[in-house]
């Protein structure tokens, strides 16, 4: 399996840590059929990346298997904000999968957080809506939900999937 390292995870204040813990507790009580969670917003810098990463980390620390899908295909912030470092030279990601250039196994990366996996963007694209509304995206999310306790999708505001 591919691997990546998250090198920079800023510490949370006590109040912020408690808020994330409360959110994760509430998500765990949403029901066993709720496995796919999408975080999106209309404007940049509203906290999608922060929440996605911290929910992933917290749920993994609680013993859950979590896959974070970076679906912000136009301007992903995860790599730069969290210092994501790939072990391979040319990593594939969601854009490659949606374009039919990579398989699911080629885009899922284990992280240095036990129980936490990521699907990075791979490469940013300007026509993200066309890729995100493809049947391949729904198929990917369904497949991941069968393999993990939670699938967290950090989404582009243009995402049109019904998940």
């Amino acid at each position: 399996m591919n691997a990546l390292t998250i090198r920079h995870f800023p510490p949370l204040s006590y109040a912020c840590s408690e808020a994330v813990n409360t959110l994760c507790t509430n998500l765990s009580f949403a029901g066993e059929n709720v496995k796919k969670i999408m975080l999106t917003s209309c404007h940049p810098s509203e906290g999608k990346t922060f929440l996605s990463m911290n929910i992933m980390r917290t749920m993994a620390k609680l013993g859950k298997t979590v896959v974070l899908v970076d679906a912000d295909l136009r301007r992903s912030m995860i790599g730069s904000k969290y210092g994501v470092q790939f072990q391979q030279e040319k990593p594939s990601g969601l854009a490659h999968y949606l374009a039919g250039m990579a398989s699911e196994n080629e885009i899922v990366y284990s992280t240095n957080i036990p129980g936490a996996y990521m699907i990075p963007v791979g490469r940013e694209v300007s026509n993200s809506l066309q890729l995100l509304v493809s049947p391949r995206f729904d198929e990917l999310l369904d497949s991941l939900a069968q393999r993990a306790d939670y699938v967290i999708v950090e989404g582009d505001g243009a995402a049109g999937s019904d998940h």
Side-chain angles (χ1 to χ4, degrees):
M1 175 176 275
N2 296 321
L4 61 81
T5 302
I6 302 167
R7 295 181 301 149
H8 179 65
F9 228 122
L12 302 178
S13 69
Y14 175 78
C16 190
S17 178
E18 287 301 304
V20 170
N21 287 338
T22 299
L23 177 58
C24 289
T25 299
N26 289 339
L27 288 172
S28 68
F29 281 102
E32 63 184 36
N33 293 332
V34 177
K35 298 185 75 148
K36 297 177 269 187
I37 302 158
M38 182 170 195
L39 292 126
T40 189
S41 66
C42 295
H43 304 289
S45 302
E46 288 188 326
K48 294 185 307 278
T49 300
F50 172 82
L51 275 177
S52 298
M53 292 294 287
N54 281 289
I55 290 170
M56 177 189 70
R57 177 174 64 172
T58 302
M59 293 300 238
K61 285 184 178 180
L62 293 172
K64 302 296 183 187
T65 302
V66 184
V67 180
L68 173 62
V69 179
D70 186 356
D72 196 351
L73 296 176
R74 291 187 294 180
R75 58 184 168 279
S76 174
M77 298 305 293
I78 289 176
S80 61
K81 283 189 176 182
Y82 290 87
V84 173
Q85 181 178 0
F86 296 91
Q87 289 185 350
Q88 58 273 34
E89 218 174 288
K90 294 185 178 183
S92 293
L94 182 61
H96 297 96
Y97 174 83
L98 295 176
M101 299 168 55
S103 70
E104 181 178 333
N105 289 335
E106 292 175 303
I107 64 168
V108 178
Y109 293 77
S110 63
T111 71
N112 53 321
I113 301 169
Y117 299 84
M118 287 182 67
I119 295 180
V121 166
R123 65 179 280 188
E124 293 182 353
V125 296
S126 58
N127 59 342
S128 61
L129 182 59
Q130 292 171 332
L131 292 174
L132 293 172
V133 298
S134 77
R136 286 182 63 87
F137 189 52
D138 288 341
E139 291 166 8
L140 174 65
L141 296 180
D142 289 342
S143 175
L144 294 171
Q146 291 176 6
R147 297 168 43 184
D149 295 311
Y150 292 99
V151 178
I152 300 167
V153 180
E154 185 201 332
D156 184 331
S161 178
D162 63 352
H163 296 285

